[in-house]
């Protein structure tokens, strides 16, 4: 029986921060699924089948808009701060472009209810922001990490230090 060796920590690895991002992502997905189900039900009662389509499209937009940032933070939590910030900014610009194009395409169509879509997006995005806040506020991320633990973030701005 062979055992897999434990991976050596990468510079900047922080399992505590990654746990916060995973919790935020999981809670956001649960929220968006709940809003999609509840929004579809209310949308059907209010506007029929176009209300259902509005709720589902709104939930999809909210999932892309809220999930992309949290996912990019999770994937880059072990990198240098500049790299993480560049990826997050690129992700933000990309998802903004996707949402604008999607809304432009949907603008001329009438198979969905615009009001249901708007309410579902608003509820899901605001709820996701609150869940992100809760995950960060309850997360147990240390301010100081003991030396030798391999969680030091490289600083490429320091000329006296080799990485």
């Amino acid at each position: 029986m062979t055992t897999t060796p434990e991976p050596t920590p990468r510079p900047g690895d922080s399992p505590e921060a990654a746990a916060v991002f995973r919790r935020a992502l999981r809670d956001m997905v649960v929220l968006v699924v709940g809003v999609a189900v509840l929004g579809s039900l209310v949308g059907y009662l209010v506007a029929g089948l176009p209300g259902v389509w509005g709720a589902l499209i709104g939930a999809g937009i909210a999932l892309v808009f809220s999930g992309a940032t949290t996912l990019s933070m999770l994937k880059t939590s072990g990198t240098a701060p500049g790299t993480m910030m560049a990826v997050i900014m690129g992700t933000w610009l990309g998802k903004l472009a996707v949402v604008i194009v999607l809304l432009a395409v949907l603008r001329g169509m009438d198979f969905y209810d615009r009001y249901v879509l708007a309410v579902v997006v608003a509820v899901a995005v605001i709820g996701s922001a609150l869940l992100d806040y809760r995950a960060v506020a309850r997360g147990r991320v240390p301010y100081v990490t003991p030396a030798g633990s391999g969680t030091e973030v490289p600083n490429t701005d320091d000329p006296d230090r080799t990485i």
Side-chain angles (χ1 to χ4, degrees):
M1 183 167 156
T2 60
T3 58
T4 306
E6 289 208 23
T8 57
R10 298 176 303 168
D13 271 353
S14 174
E16 298 89 359
V20 169
F21 297 137
R22 279 193 305 274
R23 179 182 176 137
L25 189 61
R26 182 193 67 225
D27 291 351
M28 184 270 310
V29 168
V30 169
L31 171 78
V32 171
V33 168
V35 168
V37 169
L38 187 63
S40 294
L41 178 66
V42 172
Y44 182 75
L45 295 174
V46 170
L49 195 56
V52 173
W53 280 112
L56 294 176
I57 293 168
I61 289 171
L63 184 65
V64 168
F65 206 81
S66 297
T69 301
T70 307
L71 190 60
S72 67
M73 291 173 75
L74 175 63
K75 293 298 183 186
T76 60
S77 66
T79 62
T83 303
M84 184 181 196
M85 207 54 185
V87 169
I88 291 169
M89 183 55 98
T91 302
W92 186 83
L93 289 171
K95 70 183 181 182
L96 192 62
V98 166
V99 168
I100 288 172
V101 167
L102 181 63
L103 292 176
V105 168
L106 289 173
R107 189 168 131 186
M109 299 182 183
D110 60 354
F111 71 95
Y112 69 99
D113 188 81
R114 289 177 176 85
Y115 297 110
V116 173
L117 182 139
V119 169
V120 167
V121 168
V123 168
V125 169
I126 291 170
S128 176
L130 292 172
L131 290 175
D132 289 348
Y133 169 76
R134 186 182 77 171
V136 170
R138 291 184 179 176
R140 298 184 53 94
V141 180
Y143 291 110
V144 178
T145 305
S149 66
T151 60
E152 186 175 341
V153 176
N155 183 358
T156 56
D157 297 332
D158 188 0
D160 297 331
R161 177 134 190 214
T162 58
I163 299 176

